[in-house]
Amino acid sequence: MSDDIELKFRHVSGDIGPLKVSGSSSILQVKEQLYAQWPKDGPVSTDKPSAASDLRLILGGKFLDNSETLNDLRPSMGELKADTVVTMHVIVRPAPAGKPQTSKEKKEAQQGCGCTVQ
């Protein structure tokens, strides 16, 4: 039996894949492979993540942890035959609103205004 698992990713704008991934791959490695092969055209391309860490994968209603391997998740995938394609849902985390703050700006915002009233 092959260690490879075929994965299809369901996104709100359409499906991605299937991608053939080793069963020993971690969820983080799956996210990196998905990010590298993200569609460059079509409806899904408009929601391209800025990094693999922006992706959240869901299997069986559960968010997957980056350290889990696909082999760890086999019980949730049901019986895997040679032609089985496992569907996971993928969510792209939205970019943070506004420009990113520097550590100095964050500290100033936490301390409040530097004004004094005399």
Side-chain angles (χ1 to χ4, degrees):
M1 179 168 138
S2 173
D3 185 45
D4 289 343
I5 300 173
E6 284 203 63
L7 300 175
K8 178 172 66 173
F9 300 92
R10 178 129 315 146
H11 182 270
V12 294
S13 299
D15 291 346
I16 304 167
L19 304 177
K20 193 171 279 213
V21 182
S22 169
S24 61
S25 297
S26 69
I27 294 303
L28 179 60
Q29 291 169 319
V30 172
K31 288 179 181 181
E32 289 168 349
Q33 185 174 345
L34 176 58
Y35 175 72
Q37 297 184 26
W38 197 266
K40 296 186 182 5
D41 56 355
V44 178
S45 66
T46 60
D47 195 20
K48 181 168 173 55
S50 57
S53 60
D54 291 341
L55 298 173
R56 297 288 311 247
L57 299 181
I58 302 169
L59 178 64
K62 177 183 163 236
F63 282 102
L64 303 180
D65 185 79
N66 285 341
S67 62
E68 291 177 295
T69 67
L70 291 176
N71 285 334
D72 295 338
L73 300 169
R74 279 185 185 267
S76 301
M77 295 179 194
E79 184 180 353
L80 296 178
K81 297 180 182 175
D83 60 345
T84 302
V85 178
V86 177
T87 300
M88 293 184 177
H89 288 83
V90 61
I91 298 172
V92 178
R93 291 184 195 178
K99 77 170 195 162
Q101 291 182 325
T102 64
S103 58
K104 180 181 177 186
E105 289 171 330
K106 287 180 187 175
K107 187 175 181 180
E108 288 173 355
Q110 290 171 347
Q111 292 176 346
C113 158
C115 304
T116 57
V117 178
Q118 295 184 2

